[in-house]
Amino acid sequence: MKIKNYILVCILLTVSFTASAQYGKQKKADTLFNKFSFVKAAEVYKELIENKYNEDYAVRRLADCYALLRDPKNAAKYYKKAVTQENIPIEYYYNYAQALRGIEKYDDSKEWMQRYKDSGGIINTSKYLKRGNFITNIFNAKQQYFLKKFNHNSKLSDFGAYEHNGKIYFASTRDEGVSIKRLYGWNEQPFLDVYAVEKDSKEAADHTSKLKGDVNTIYHDGPVTITNDGKTMYFTRNSFINNVYDSNEKGINQVKIYKATLKDSVWSDVEDLSINDSEYSTQHPALSPDNKKLYFASDRPGGYGSSDLYVVDINDDGSLGEPKNLGETVNTKGSEGMPFINNEGSLFFSSDGHVGLGLLDIFGTIANETGEIVDVINLGVPVNSSKDDFSFTMNSDGLSGYFASNRSGGMGDDDIYAYNRIPLLNIEGTVTDVINNKPVPNAIITLLDGSGKQIAYMETDEEGYYEINIDRNVDYKITASQKKYENDSKSFTSKGIEDTITTITVDLQLTPVRDVPVLADLGIIYFDFDKHNIRPDAALELDKIVKLMNEDYPGMVIRIESHTDSRGTLSYNDKLSIDRANSTYEYLIENGVDAARITAHEGFGERRLTNGCDGSVDCEENKHQLNRRTEFIIIKMQ
């Protein structure tokens, strides 16, 4: 069987098994943290601190975990340790000040806020007036959302903006341009209708923009969500279908979710859904990215508060399964509503039960590796305000969308706000050996800003890969280092890059330290059973070595070591391995390598097996194949 040959780097490391295990833990913790799984990440960071592995880094990350989990007491405990570290980023002064406010140590908080300011930090105090919202401050210390004008607001109520196939759908109580207005007794405004406008339309929507077909009625209609294929719409409406206005025994007309089908460019064939009931409300539909689940809000019995979020499966025939409450991580004793699921499957919703900046606030959710929601995060300013903020949606690009608010400065009652999102930026890359281009695991990565201050410190994984979150509009220098290698550094900048870019790639190459015995295995070739001839695949690898030695590294000196598997007698295998070493040596000499640059070509028989196939256990042929090999050891580079 043909085995794909590869160049193998073998570095003599003094890192112990324990250190390697700790590095694995750090990588696991960072992965959990980056996936918003802060509870599990905190547990692993604690273990790293207990084992004194990269302790300063773990302390900072653990403090951040507690901050994001809304635990100001523990956050303050670890931020207190973090701010004593050398070269600590000044943002940690700010985070510590916010955590101290969370536990009502206001004088201490002011001191650390002043230290943050004295160190060059910029404070916008108008954003952070409400007690207990340090979680939002920390998570949104770097603003991601930027608001822009929405052209279709009215003097009344507009919300539920949702973009689909080049159109924006939204609900509005405007009823301009009609002679007869029906007013809703609750607020003396017209009833809601669904409007649709072209995404790039500059003309403000009016009554001519009302959705054509059977969705709009004389009662409340909207907001809506539409399937990926554009053929099915789910929407909220007062309980009214087939011209029948339905009230329960208490005289209450509930809101329900209905389904419409697009036929000849018109929405028609409105259907009631099995999840509806005249005794409770069912509203605010939202679809999962694959359209197999429907999310909604309801005050049905069995919930946690006045209105909870639920999800129900959509079967292949369009029927619905049994609704499932999203649980107490999402739902509170207050009201949750207006769910939305973005393309990555993250849930956003509005709530007055979670800690927020105002009345209704908009929240995102944190899920673990299995998709279970483990926490929620306030999206912070400017999405949220001291008033009601709701009906958040995100377009397919993940960088733009809409929400509604009744904050001051708007045009009417509830107004729609468009936003652009500038996502977080990271640098990533791979550290490789310059000789054979193979990954260098456990290389130390150090990131400095333009002033030489250390921003981050980490190790590459087994594939030589690293990834670090960075700020925009900053100059950086990154260095990779590893024992037995010379350092490699590169400068780069995040200034002037487009907002849509989320990753900068910087690869680094390490050159082995010269004149050090046994630096690395240059490569491996393999032999057939009981043979010492050079196979075609081995010849390809030997040709690469010839090129390296004659063209790329004319000062390189190597040693050849050949081996056998465990089958056959010890003396026979010794001779066979010597024959393999001779064949390898002769091939290199015949193809132009100076014999003086090969210090030895020796056979070791079966004495250096790479695995447990020593004859005491049954092994498959591919296991034996790994032992029938020749290795090339670099002795020096000059």
Side-chain angles (χ1 to χ4, degrees), residues 23 46 56 135 349 412 531 540 562:
Y23 162 68
K46 283 183 182 179
D56 285 353
I135 168 65
F349 65 98
K531 302 291 184 182
L540 292 175
S562 297

Side-chain angles (χ1 to χ4, degrees), residues 224-498:
V224 309
T225 187
I226 303 173
T227 54
N228 296 336
D229 61 11
K231 296 180 180 179
T232 304
M233 173 184 289
Y234 295 88
F235 63 97
T236 302
R237 176 197 283 179
N238 281 113
S239 183
F240 182 76
I241 189 170
N242 298 326
N243 290 320
V244 176
Y245 183 82
D246 177 40
S247 297
N248 58 26
E249 293 181 356
K250 297 179 181 179
I252 298 174
N253 175 268
Q254 300 286 3
V255 288
K256 297 180 178 181
I257 297 176
Y258 294 90
K259 181 171 68 171
T261 302
L262 187 66
K263 290 186 175 181
D264 298 324
S265 301
V266 175
W267 292 102
S268 58
D269 296 344
V270 175
E271 300 177 34
D272 200 346
L273 299 184
S274 61
I275 57 175
N276 293 322
D277 195 290
S278 296
E279 299 303 317
Y280 47 77
S281 67
T282 306
Q283 58 185 329
H284 307 161
L287 289 164
S288 62
D290 60 6
N291 291 177
K292 293 183 178 180
K293 293 182 183 296
L294 179 69
Y295 293 77
F296 62 93
S298 177
D299 62 357
R300 63 189 58 211
Y304 293 90
S306 56
S307 176
D308 280 15
L309 296 184
Y310 292 81
V311 62
V312 63
D313 290 331
I314 302 175
N315 299 319
D316 292 340
D317 62 359
S319 63
L320 303 180
E322 288 297 319
K324 178 183 177 182
N325 189 292
L326 291 188
E328 59 185 340
T329 300
V330 170
N331 294 311
T332 67
K333 293 181 180 179
S335 295
E336 280 71 46
M338 296 286 184
F340 176 78
I341 316 297
N342 69 4
N343 278 6
E344 286 70 44
S346 295
L347 168 69
F348 298 84
F349 65 98
S350 294
S351 171
D352 62 9
H354 292 284
V355 177
L357 301 179
L359 303 175
L360 277 175
D361 267 23
I362 298 169
F363 296 84
T365 57
I366 300 166
N368 61 18
E369 293 81 356
T370 64
E372 176 189 5
I373 296 174
V374 297
D375 205 352
V376 300
I377 283 184
N378 189 300
L379 293 193
V381 293
V383 172
N384 289 318
S385 67
S386 59
K387 297 297 181 66
D388 285 324
D389 307 287
F390 57 100
S391 73
F392 178 92
T393 62
M394 183 178 289
N395 298 330
S396 58
D397 60 10
L399 302 174
S400 61
Y402 310 91
F403 67 93
S405 178
N406 64 353
R407 65 187 64 184
S408 59
M411 182 176 179
D413 184 0
D414 298 314
D415 286 297
I416 296 170
Y417 292 81
Y419 68 82
N420 284 329
R421 172 176 167 261
I422 299 180
L424 296 177
L425 182 66
N426 67 62
I427 177 177
E428 67 174 9
T430 303
V431 179
T432 55
D433 186 306
V434 72
I435 295 176
N436 50 32
N437 206 34
K438 285 298 180 178
V440 179
N442 304 112
I444 303 300
I445 300 295
T446 306
L447 181 67
L448 307 175
D449 66 12
S451 63
K453 184 175 66 177
Q454 181 174 308
I455 302 299
Y457 167 91
M458 68 173 301
E459 295 181 10
T460 57
D461 64 14
E462 64 274 9
E463 299 299 327
Y465 176 79
Y466 73 90
E467 181 180 17
I468 304 172
N469 291 332
I470 60 174
D471 291 335
R472 294 177 184 270
N473 300 312
V474 177
D475 292 323
Y476 290 100
K477 180 180 180 180
I478 192 164
T479 299
S481 59
Q482 174 62 284
K483 292 182 178 181
K484 306 298 183 182
Y485 287 94
E486 298 175 0
N487 294 355
D488 184 25
S489 298
K490 288 184 179 179
S491 296
F492 69 97
T493 185
S494 59
K495 294 179 178 178
I497 65 173
E498 296 181 7

